[in-house]
Amino acid sequence: MAQDADRRQELGAFLRKRREELVRADFDLPPVGRSRTRGLRREEIAYRAGISVTWYTWLEQGRRTNPSRQVLDAIARNMRLSAAEHEYVLSLAGYAATGPPDTGEAHDAGDAASVPPHLQRLLDAQGASPAFAIPPDWAIAGWNRAYQMLYPNVDTVPAEDRNLLWLIYTDPTIRRMLPDWEVTSRHFLAEYRAEAGPSLGHPVHVALIDRLLGRSPEFARAWAEHRVERFASRERTFRHPAVGDLVFEHHRLAPSDLPDVHVIVYVPRVGTDTGERMRRLLAEPEAAWAVGAVD
């Protein structure tokens, strides 16, 4: 299957990238030549993991090797991968179900019915906390009024572009609103990669990545880094042109009856006036639309 080949290629590229980034001194190994201090040789990883160099080379080349979980665990342990990276390697080899079901059907980002009424009511109930819902392909499938006041473009962007990853890398409005765009964009991309995992070969994901590679040089550079991260709640700051800086806690929930859908909620940070500023936007919605008017 084409998707199996895609997963093998991604696994090989990921391991190769991580191996090349390892610091030799951390493994009590001398530099290669006079100056090369980063990157372990394939044979050095293979020896530590207890496998043949040829077999490990085939793994990096994306050949059909059918590695056991024990072998992948040994490689991950000896490459000192993080827990998220370890899970990612296992998922690409079929040992963890971190990706969405492979239904063969694309999610319609513009189909309002894709968010069930009860989920929309949950979003609306967040009040002054911006909230939205994303399925496995990260299309923004539903949102509340507070999120629309924070980012009015969500209601006007073409349906095919209403995707969180696409907007982060292509919408200049978002870039202006995020003082830490370089860090935030990489966080999102690393989380997306970890979640998509073995489904990266699905046509929906392939189409999104291909579009982004052709549109955004920043995305292309970040994608080549093969970063993988678990989601972690964190502080987020938005620089809104109408009400100034807004500081939130970024949380993500998965409804038990819709486990493949994630609900993202930005909770106004305690000790700031973000909640008051959001209520002002909700009371004076014309102020928020100034965001969408900026090119």
Side-chain angles (χ1 to χ4, degrees):
M1 290 179 60
Q3 291 186 40
D4 290 338
D6 289 337
R7 285 194 287 267
R8 291 196 301 272
Q9 290 298 321
E10 171 64 14
L11 175 59
F14 178 80
L15 291 175
R16 182 172 60 254
K17 182 69 173 177
R18 286 292 164 271
R19 176 177 60 81
E20 292 172 348
E21 292 178 340
L22 295 174
V23 178
R24 298 184 61 79
D26 292 344
F27 294 81
D28 296 323
L29 293 171
V32 177
R34 293 187 177 182
S35 60
R36 182 180 161 192
T37 61
R38 300 185 70 88
L40 269 63
R41 296 187 177 100
R42 288 193 178 104
E43 55 264 34
E44 291 167 335
I45 291 294
Y47 173 77
R48 289 169 179 270
I51 57 179
S52 75
V53 178
T54 299
W55 192 90
Y56 179 76
T57 299
W58 288 352
L59 188 63
E60 280 198 3
Q61 291 174 343
R63 297 195 190 186
R64 191 186 298 274
T65 55
N66 297 319
S68 69
R69 182 170 189 142
Q70 290 74 19
V71 166
L72 293 174
D73 286 342
I75 292 172
R77 183 170 58 254
N78 284 281
M79 290 181 70
R80 302 181 184 177
L81 299 183
S82 69
E85 291 170 335
H86 191 166
E87 289 178 3
Y88 185 62
V89 166
L90 292 174
S91 74
L92 290 173
Y95 291 107
T98 59
D102 189 5
T103 63
E105 298 179 357
H107 172 82
D108 182 357
D111 182 6
S114 61
V115 175
H118 73 280
L119 182 56
Q120 185 61 55
R121 288 192 292 271
L122 174 64
L123 296 174
D124 294 338
Q126 303 312 305
S129 296
F132 58 97
I134 55 173
D137 60 5
W138 279 34
I140 301 176
W143 57 91
N144 66 359
R145 188 163 172 264
Y147 185 71
Q148 188 171 333
M149 294 301 100
L150 176 66
Y151 176 58
N153 286 2
V154 70
D155 195 44
T156 59
V157 69
E160 62 271 19
D161 293 341
R162 195 178 294 126
N163 178 284
L164 185 58
L165 199 61
W166 174 262
L167 293 171
I168 286 170
Y169 277 94
T170 65
D171 190 340
T173 296
I174 288 182
R175 188 173 299 211
R176 283 191 296 270
M177 291 180 68
L178 297 177
D180 60 347
W181 181 88
E182 288 285 348
V183 174
T184 295
S185 61
R186 278 174 162 73
H187 268 309
F188 273 110
L189 181 54
E191 290 165 358
Y192 169 85
R193 193 168 208 141
E195 291 172 18
S199 294
L200 283 175
H202 189 283
V204 172
H205 295 285
V206 171
L208 175 62
I209 298 307
D210 285 348
R211 287 184 71 201
L212 282 163
L213 288 172
R215 174 69 176 271
S216 170
E218 294 95 336
F219 175 86
R221 287 192 292 270
W223 185 249
E225 294 174 359
H226 289 267
R227 297 297 177 191
V228 175
E229 296 177 13
R230 289 173 172 169
F231 173 82
S233 295
R234 55 188 180 268
E235 184 177 291
R236 297 288 308 282
T237 299
F238 293 84
R239 189 153 291 160
H240 197 286
V243 294
D245 285 359
L246 300 168
V247 184
F248 300 96
E249 289 182 354
H250 180 171
H251 298 284
R252 189 174 70 181
L253 312 171
S256 59
D257 57 341
L258 296 168
D260 292 327
V261 174
H262 287 153
V263 174
I264 312 299
V265 183
Y266 297 150
V267 179
R269 182 65 181 267
V270 174
T272 72
D273 61 354
T274 295
E276 179 183 343
R277 295 188 186 204
M278 282 303 304
R279 285 187 287 273
R280 190 191 317 163
L281 276 177
L282 291 168
E284 303 173 4
E286 64 278 0
W289 291 101
V291 178
V294 179
D295 295 326

